[in-house]
Amino acid sequence: MKVSATLLSLCATLACASWVPTAPALSRDLEPRWQKRINRRQENSTGEWPYGPFRTKGRDVVNSRDEVVTWAGVNWPMSGETMVPEGLEWKSVEDILDDAVSVGFNYIRMGYAIQMIDEVYDRGGEDVPLEVAMIMALGYENGTKVTNEIISKNPSWTRETTRFEIWSDIAKIAATKGVYIHPDVHVGKAQWCCSHTDGNAWFDDLNFKVSNWLRGLSYVATWAKDHPNVVSMSLRNELRESWNRTDLYYNWQTLVGNMSAGSDAIHNANPDLLISWSGMQYDQDLSALTTKKNILTAPCYKCTAIRDARRRDPVFFDLDSYPWADKIVWELHLYPMSEDVDTGNCEVIEAALYRNGFNALGIDAPAGCSDLVGECEPAQRVTPVIFSEFGNAQDATLYNSTVQNCIRGFTEKHGVSWMMWSLAGSYRIRSGVQGLVDTWGLTNADWTGWKDPDTIENYWKPWVKAMNLTSA
């Protein structure tokens, strides 16, 4: 098959355009098709599920009926180079969501790249079609092959169906199944995450232009108005020190300034949304914010010192002073390969979790807190905290994984919502490898079944059941 002149033009446009443009906001006539269709205020207070808008109330998330909402879910990656959710060439959206629901999951965290929005601006308001997305990431031969496979499994789409139209269809189908969709800014430039050297680490890193990030947050928050089951979205995934730029200030002050601006961007675009706020060092540490320490002097791993901080007036982050105070949900991550958190046993893990942010739930400090991790202060404000990412190989090692089972026990004991990493048993392209198989994904490589049916039945389903989830 010969590539069309239109497709060649589109490919040339994408190949030449910078993925971090500096463009003004889209005028009304340039808004993409989905944006022209929506009401300017999310109308989900209709007496029907999901009973939005949601807000925070003490340690809980509650719906418009003042009912506590609990989530247990899974990450479905879409932040790779194609910027289309993984697995759609193997299985339809309907079937993938049915698989997730069969485990009991009621929440899907979907990591996206700010590049996806930048490319809409590059193209004068037109989103990227499916076939163009595949060819640009995979090359012509494999890109057209995968496009045909995606359309075969999802026949309502065509080569011209755009990325945001695909995401909209996923959100709409998820709503029919009682599943929440949570957009998560995973990266700036579309690629595998995360490292200190990938350019996506910290504000104004090589691939993390703050102005584009804020624009992207506003864009996705506006898109969410068309989807009542999108009740929340994140600010940024796994912030960390950049090893590419040494002139960036990696500290609490920079975090608070930028994340506050991000919260403004989301809230101004869509005030109904909950906003998940991540911490320092791969989203392991929120301690200075939950304990309301002076953000000029509060310690954190590898933080940039503010030399004259002791001579300045102290600065404290007061969440209650912001218009989005009842929309913020803290989020934390933990993996066995943590650089600085001791993950040797449950006693020290629980102590670190409390110190690093779960104290905001208003729970008692664990018994080993002061002896094992040092200072363990109570939170100064009770606020919801979720576990939005953790993971392990999907095999029998789950049963003996210290970190995994400590997290499980902690979430069950304290009623903490969580999202495991991840659904994807394979990736179209990851770190330059096409068709990469991931043993940490729940599905097998061709998404036709579970990688390990035993742990689905005897580990994940019992864990989800123990959470007493909010039903649709």
Side-chain angles (χ1 to χ4, degrees), residues 90-123:
W90 300 108
K91 220 167 194 178
S92 69
V93 171
E94 188 95 31
D95 288 344
I96 290 172
L97 289 171
D98 281 343
D99 286 344
V101 170
S102 75
V103 184
F105 295 137
N106 67 348
Y107 191 95
I108 297 181
R109 180 176 182 253
M110 300 192 73
Y112 67 97
I114 291 296
Q115 181 180 347
M116 190 164 76
I117 297 92
D118 291 338
E119 289 182 352
V120 173
Y121 281 85
D122 279 344
R123 297 162 57 86

Side-chain angles (χ1 to χ4, degrees), residues 298-318:
C300 69
Y301 183 67
K302 294 187 176 180
C303 263
T304 307
I306 301 173
R307 290 188 300 170
D308 63 347
R310 301 292 177 184
R311 291 187 284 112
R312 295 194 202 178
D313 292 335
V315 178
F316 305 98
F317 176 64
D318 181 12

Side-chain angles (χ1 to χ4, degrees), residues 45-59:
S45 298
T46 61
E48 299 178 354
W49 185 90
Y51 310 109
F54 288 16
R55 62 185 174 87
T56 66
K57 183 179 181 182
R59 58 148 288 158

Side-chain angles (χ1 to χ4, degrees), residues 59 387 404-418 459-468:
R59 58 148 288 158
F387 234 129
Q404 187 78 31
N405 289 293
C406 292
I407 290 172
R408 177 178 178 176
F410 189 85
T411 61
E412 291 180 357
K413 179 180 178 180
H414 298 294
V416 175
S417 293
W418 52 266
Y459 192 89
W460 291 110
K461 286 185 178 181
W463 186 354
V464 172
K465 185 177 181 180
M467 298 305 300
N468 297 314

